[in-house]
Amino acid sequence: MAEKQASAPHAQAAGGANGRSSSDRGRASVLFIGDIVGGIGRRTLLECLPLLRERYEPTFVIANGENVAGGLGITPKLADELIAAGVDAITLGNHTYHRREIYAYLESEPRIVRPANFLRSQPGHGTCVVERDGVRLGVINLSGNLYLRAGRSAFTEIEVALADLGSVEHILVDMHAEATSEKVAMGWHLDGRVTAVVGTHTHVPTADGRLLNHGTAYITDVGMTGPRGGVIGVKREQALEGLLTQMPVRFETSDVDPWLMGVLIRCSQPLRAESIEQILMPRPNSSRAS
Ligand SMILES: [Fe+2]
Ligand SMILES: [Fe+2]
């Protein structure tokens, strides 16, 4: 397991956060897992999660599930499977609506969120609150506006989403975006107002996990939970054929070299992170060769 840890150079008191005084009420840890890709990603998660639970004892497990159904979208059955495996809340992204059968589920299941800056008329909701050990974690999903279709600005709708959450000890924002600039900007925009801003969508982990000036944990992209031996999840032969021939190619999910990619965020005060640790973990007992 490769790991990197960034710690607070000057952790700040969180007395002003939501008017709370700093206390054990803010003590928590969040394991956030990057885009789970296809059956191979699901199996990797199911095998790695018990090991990660034992090692880190996270208070919350949050996962991006936008690619869990054959690489595109999510179904009610698969969402239920993730929740049964111990995922407290599921975030999504640009592939939210690929499977029609998820539409009603997005309305009825509070623990799954799609980007809050989608149109209000689109199925689902963009925020949720989960509670464990007396700690409430607000989860917000956002979509970038560059190269992705999202009806409204992430930078204005985040204010509405934060107001929707009400009083919570911690807030995690999954900024699902293509452009690194939007993700970095969202990190600074929310620094000191949320516990963590984690980027998803590119399926490639970045090396910039750190605490921002006012105590928000940040990473531009967590990466994916899926096959590193493909092209961001797709069989590499098919991805290359499409690029070389410029003709349509049916993509399937690669099963070569699956890894779980995530971050662990530790907190001891409300709305502040103490550290962010990158988790890059190969699926146990799997071969890296194709
Ligand atoms: Fe995406
Ligand atoms: Fe994705």
Side-chain angles (χ1 to χ4, degrees):
M1 192 187 301
E3 290 160 4
K4 277 191 319 188
Q5 183 157 357
S7 293
H10 45 84
Q12 301 200 352
N18 276 0
R20 296 169 193 285
S21 61
S22 87
S23 72
D24 269 4
R25 294 195 63 196
R27 193 167 294 284
S29 56
V30 182
L31 173 61
F32 181 86
I33 295 163
D35 306 31
I36 303 163
V37 180
I40 188 78
R42 235 158 48 230
R43 289 188 290 278
T44 302
L45 171 78
L46 295 177
E47 283 181 29
C48 293
L49 197 49
L51 305 173
L52 293 172
R53 275 199 187 286
E54 201 179 306
R55 178 163 185 167
Y56 295 111
E57 299 181 338
T59 317
F60 300 100
V61 178
I62 312 296
N64 186 296
E66 71 145 9
N67 303 107
V68 80
L72 292 171
I74 188 166
T75 64
K77 180 173 172 283
L78 294 174
D80 284 342
E81 234 178 72
L82 295 182
I83 290 168
V87 172
D88 295 295
I90 301 167
T91 58
L92 296 168
N94 53 305
H95 296 302
T96 296
Y97 301 120
H98 194 78
R99 302 293 190 114
R100 277 185 176 275
E101 59 266 46
I102 200 66
Y103 296 5
Y105 187 95
L106 292 175
E107 298 284 353
S108 64
E109 172 52 66
R111 291 168 292 183
I112 187 166
V113 290
R114 49 80 163 155
N117 58 318
F118 280 1
L119 295 177
R120 289 187 213 289
S121 55
Q122 290 178 281
H125 46 95
T127 67
C128 72
V129 178
V130 290
E131 185 167 349
R132 270 196 198 275
D133 305 339
V135 179
R136 288 161 298 178
L137 172 70
V139 179
I140 300 175
N141 196 189
L142 291 172
S143 166
N145 296 99
L146 290 171
Y147 317 118
L148 289 176
R149 197 157 81 174
R152 297 175 295 148
S153 163
F155 288 86
T156 55
E157 290 309 314
I158 183 62
E159 306 302 335
V160 180
L162 288 170
D164 279 352
L165 287 181
S167 177
V168 291
E169 279 74 37
H170 289 292
I171 299 173
L172 177 133
V173 177
D174 174 356
M175 176 69 176
H176 194 83
E178 184 77 44
T180 51
S181 56
E182 277 187 314
K183 296 196 242 192
V184 172
M186 187 60 78
W188 290 124
H189 187 51
L190 298 180
D191 183 21
R193 294 200 284 161
V194 305
T195 311
V197 176
V198 293
T200 56
H201 175 68
T202 71
H203 295 193
V204 177
T206 55
D208 62 341
R210 59 177 163 153
L211 296 186
L212 301 179
N213 295 348
H214 298 289
T216 293
Y218 174 81
I219 189 167
T220 297
D221 209 296
V222 169
M224 70 173 164
T225 294
R228 292 197 325 175
V231 175
I232 61 168
V234 169
K235 283 185 178 173
R236 60 177 180 251
E237 304 78 11
Q238 295 172 345
L240 279 166
E241 186 189 339
L243 290 165
L244 288 166
T245 65
Q246 303 286 299
M247 294 299 288
V249 177
R250 188 168 169 272
F251 287 162
E252 295 163 310
T253 302
S254 166
D255 58 5
V256 179
D257 192 18
W259 284 50
L260 179 143
M261 301 180 186
V263 287
L264 183 85
I265 297 146
R266 287 194 176 93
C267 322
S268 59
Q269 297 175 7
L271 295 181
R272 296 291 182 275
E274 217 168 45
S275 66
I276 176 168
E277 181 176 342
Q278 196 163 27
I279 298 168
L280 301 171
M281 179 180 184
R283 182 182 180 189
N285 307 315
S286 82
S287 155
R288 295 191 192 173
S290 59

